[in-house]
Amino acid sequence: MVFWVVPVSEPPFVDTEWARQIAAPLWYIRAYLLFVIVSPLLLRAFRKAPWTSVAGFLALAVVVQSALLPLPARIDEPFTDLVTFGACWLLGFAHHDGVVRRLPTGRVMAVAATVMGAGGWFAVSHPTEEGYDLGSIPLAQALWSFGFVLLLRFGPRGDTWVRRLRPVHAAVVLLNARAVTVYLWHEVALVAGWSEDRAAKRPARLWPRP
């Protein structure tokens, strides 16, 4: 039961629809916690050899995808999460240090397009039982996510333009303040938000009309 308090592995739960809705998003908290724990080591590796360490995580994603490194289920799941998003986490260090901003625009676009293209191709060519689900294809997820995060090089440098639009700014502040809650529990919220429609035996509607 300790895994419900310290989510370093999947906690036990009854396999029902509602239980899955509550327990499934915990992988994100587990991965985030593990990244925070190992961040001092990752930052040291990144500062010593930035692009080598990034490439190392992408190489580990290849190993995980190929199943050449069999691990117990309790270790395999968190390790797969670390490997899948490790390159993105290091890229966050690069963004913070201004390394990505100093890269030539053409090179960033070329690398991002190539990596995302490779991730998309791998996902299409390796469908799972659930279809083309990136969450079930670690290598495709790692490549696509890395390329997408790299494109943040072209994001705005500040939020001045947002502050001029007060309703938009208020919405951004709200979503930033509740980003993890919205991301993790949106499925549960959607199901519970529609409880009135279900109780009245009418089709579920995203926005109720008179």
Side-chain angles (χ1 to χ4, degrees):
M1 296 302 290
V2 72
F3 295 131
W4 276 103
V5 182
V6 183
V8 294
S9 186
E10 183 174 304
F13 63 92
V14 179
D15 191 17
T16 64
E17 185 63 30
W18 275 103
R20 284 195 298 272
Q21 295 287 342
I22 299 297
L26 292 178
W27 76 268
Y28 183 88
I29 298 177
R30 177 186 68 206
Y32 193 90
L33 175 64
L34 290 174
F35 273 117
V36 170
I37 292 173
V38 300
S39 275
L41 295 176
L42 295 180
L43 181 59
R44 188 179 305 171
F46 174 78
R47 293 272 166 81
K48 185 174 294 185
W51 300 116
T52 302
S53 56
V54 169
F57 266 111
L58 294 178
L60 283 174
V62 175
V63 174
V64 167
Q65 183 69 52
S66 62
L68 293 175
L69 187 65
L71 295 171
R74 285 240 175 255
I75 300 176
D76 182 64
E77 292 181 4
F79 180 75
T80 299
D81 293 337
L82 284 174
V83 167
T84 300
F85 300 103
C88 292
W89 194 265
L90 295 183
L91 200 54
F93 296 153
H95 275 289
H96 179 271
D97 292 350
V99 175
V100 178
R101 288 283 184 187
R102 295 193 293 268
L103 294 175
T105 300
R107 184 181 303 175
V108 171
M109 294 182 66
V111 171
T114 301
V115 174
M116 293 179 73
W121 168 82
F122 194 85
V124 171
S125 59
H126 294 78
T128 66
E129 295 179 356
E130 300 174 352
Y132 305 109
D133 179 17
L134 285 178
S136 303
I137 313 173
L139 180 56
Q141 177 79 286
L143 294 173
W144 180 269
S145 300
F146 178 80
F148 193 91
V149 174
L150 188 60
L151 288 177
L152 293 178
R153 155 76 166 75
F154 306 106
R157 293 180 180 271
D159 61 351
T160 305
W161 67 276
V162 177
R163 291 180 181 274
R164 296 196 197 101
L165 307 172
R166 298 186 67 177
V168 176
H169 182 247
V172 170
V173 170
L174 174 63
L175 289 175
N176 280 340
R178 297 288 183 265
V180 174
T181 300
V182 171
Y183 175 70
L184 292 183
W185 311 117
H186 62 274
E187 290 190 35
V188 177
L190 285 174
V191 172
W194 284 334
S195 60
E196 298 89 349
D197 291 333
R198 295 178 182 276
K201 297 181 179 179
R202 62 184 175 225
R205 296 170 296 179
L206 182 62
W207 191 263
R209 298 183 302 275

